[in-house]
Amino acid sequence: LMAQANETAPQMGKIDLMKALIRGDFVAGYAIKELSMEVETGLSKVDATLTRLYTGPEFNGYVFRIVNQSDDEKVEIDVRKLKIGQPNLAIFSSVDRDVLEAKPSGRNVAYLKIIAKPASLASEVLLPISWVKNGKDGK
């Protein structure tokens, strides 16, 4: 019976891992690293930093802090365009603010959380960030 208890231990689901990424919780079976790794955004006034990395048997979890440093332009984060690696290893993502206002607004920071397959590498992330075109191109 004791051997069975280990076999039936619940595996961490991706929803539970996402909750932990959002809350900054400890997750059984996952190593958590606090980081400050700059990540290329492709936009001159937008900074992205990998702030926390969860590594576990089934998934990697990433928390990116994205900051719009522009004084007058907005930035959009479209998680549907997110990619990690070739082929894409991202499974699930969430962002707490999908439009970053200009710096003076104080609403210019977002946290992007990504759950990806264990083979994923933070250095291969393609962040889905673009400038908002003054509201003229109504998607």
Side-chain angles (χ1 to χ4, degrees):
L1 220 82
M2 287 304 252
Q4 260 186 342
N6 283 346
E7 288 169 28
T8 58
Q11 292 297 317
M12 172 56 94
K14 62 182 181 247
I15 301 293
D16 294 321
L17 180 55
M18 181 57 77
K19 286 181 193 168
L21 290 179
I22 290 168
R23 295 193 300 241
D25 290 350
F26 171 78
V27 181
Y30 280 76
I32 303 172
K33 275 195 199 119
E34 298 292 330
L35 300 164
S36 185
M37 184 180 114
E38 293 291 319
V39 178
E40 188 53 52
T41 64
L43 301 181
S44 61
K45 293 186 177 178
V46 182
D47 299 333
T49 308
L50 177 62
T51 60
R52 192 176 293 132
L53 171 63
Y54 287 66
T55 47
E58 289 186 274
F59 307 109
N60 286 349
Y62 302 92
V63 179
F64 290 94
R65 181 175 190 264
I66 301 169
V67 183
N68 180 7
Q69 302 286 8
S70 169
D71 291 326
D72 51 10
E73 292 189 82
K74 293 180 186 179
V75 176
E76 178 180 53
I77 301 169
D78 184 351
V79 293
R80 295 169 302 182
K81 295 178 182 164
L82 175 80
K83 288 189 176 66
I84 294 186
Q86 278 304 26
N88 187 9
L89 299 174
I91 295 171
F92 195 51
S93 60
S94 164
V95 67
D96 55 5
R97 175 174 284 138
D98 53 8
V99 174
L100 299 184
E101 304 286 336
K103 191 176 178 180
S105 72
R107 293 187 301 278
N108 65 322
V109 178
Y111 287 89
L112 173 64
K113 294 94 178 172
I114 304 166
I115 293 172
K117 294 177 184 169
S120 63
L121 297 170
S123 58
E124 295 178 350
V125 73
L126 182 64
L127 296 172
I129 304 170
S130 58
W131 295 112
V132 173
K133 308 276 188 292
N134 300 326
K136 290 192 179 74
D137 66 352
K139 287 202 184 182

